[in-house]
Amino acid sequence: MEKKENYEVNSELESIKTKRLERNLVAQGTILNYYHDKVQIPGGKVVQYDFIGHQGAAAVVPVTEDGKLLMVRQYRNALDRFTLEIPAGGLDGPAEPTMQAALRELEEETGYRAEKISFLLSLYPTVAYCNEKIDVYLATGLTKTAQHLDEDEFLNVEAWDVNDLLPMIFEGRIQDAKTICSVLAYAAKMKQ
């Protein structure tokens, strides 16, 4: 089942008009672009915002037959350390369906395919300056295949019980936003 947008304007504040006057590309990167935006805010004042454009990503919470979550431990350059995360990756283009990307990333990173996949949640990890949106899916009915890692990917696949991951989130040992949101959403869903 593919996810659906369900956002409604529901406050007087959101009806206040702002207008983007300019968006100027400052630097183009491999997975994102950096812009300076000029925006007219209520009252007529013009302000500048930094904006990072991202074409989107997909992630997956893979659950094994015995109820364990498959996680990946990988090096993250921005933090200069290894992190424990759910499998995820950028879209191959803005038109790629996020469910397709989640299935691709599942197999590439963990070496598993899913018999069943369903939408779990959408999140924007850094709304102050970036439009990256991550759609997260729940994958079950896993079948072992083979990993297909990118040449710059070095990761281990680990099976974790959700009850062991939750304290790691609250102790600050798991700090990746998509992983925190997804594990908490999965735990809440399992209680329903």
Side-chain angles (χ1 to χ4, degrees):
M1 168 185 3
E2 187 73 23
K3 52 84 187 149
K4 295 180 180 176
E5 289 293 326
N6 191 20
Y7 178 79
E8 297 177 18
V9 175
N10 60 7
S11 77
E12 289 181 35
L13 179 61
E14 291 182 84
S15 67
I16 295 174
K17 300 295 181 208
T18 59
K19 181 179 181 183
R20 182 181 311 122
L21 304 173
E22 292 180 19
R23 172 162 285 165
N24 296 306
L25 181 64
V26 175
Q28 188 168 355
T30 308
I31 62 169
L32 52 87
N33 295 324
Y34 173 55
Y35 299 87
H36 285 162
D37 287 354
K38 285 190 180 171
V39 177
Q40 185 174 29
I41 60 175
K45 185 175 180 178
V46 175
V47 295
Q48 181 171 302
Y49 289 109
D50 292 331
F51 171 70
I52 296 175
H54 190 287
Q55 63 186 8
V60 60
V61 177
V63 182
T64 64
E65 196 171 298
D66 64 353
K68 303 273 186 181
L69 276 58
L70 294 183
M71 307 285 287
V72 294
R73 189 175 302 273
Q74 62 184 321
Y75 176 77
R76 291 300 193 179
N77 179 59
L79 302 178
D80 193 25
R81 66 178 169 85
F82 283 82
T83 61
L84 186 63
E85 306 174 33
I86 60 172
L91 303 181
D92 279 346
E96 181 183 23
T98 56
M99 183 183 290
Q100 178 180 316
L103 288 168
R104 182 189 70 245
E105 291 297 327
L106 172 65
E107 187 166 16
E108 283 181 7
E109 293 189 359
T110 69
Y112 283 86
R113 286 191 184 140
E115 181 180 304
K116 183 178 177 190
I117 188 163
S118 59
F119 178 74
L120 185 61
L121 72 135
S122 290
L123 62 113
Y124 288 89
T126 51
V127 296
Y129 57 84
C130 184
N131 69 341
E132 179 186 16
K133 179 182 180 190
I134 305 172
D135 287 339
V136 182
Y137 294 86
L138 179 61
T140 56
L142 303 180
T143 304
K144 184 73 174 136
T145 60
Q147 285 179 304
H148 306 285
L149 299 175
D150 295 335
E151 65 180 24
D152 64 344
E153 279 185 309
F154 302 93
L155 55 83
N156 286 335
V157 180
E158 303 174 14
W160 285 82
D161 188 289
V162 70
N163 292 320
D164 293 327
L165 293 171
L166 294 172
M168 293 172 69
I169 290 171
F170 296 114
E171 293 165 3
R173 293 168 50 209
I174 294 177
Q175 297 177 325
D176 173 60
K178 74 180 175 307
T179 300
I180 292 170
C181 293
S182 301
V183 170
L184 292 175
Y186 172 74
K189 186 177 184 81
M190 294 304 100
K191 287 184 178 181
Q192 293 178 345

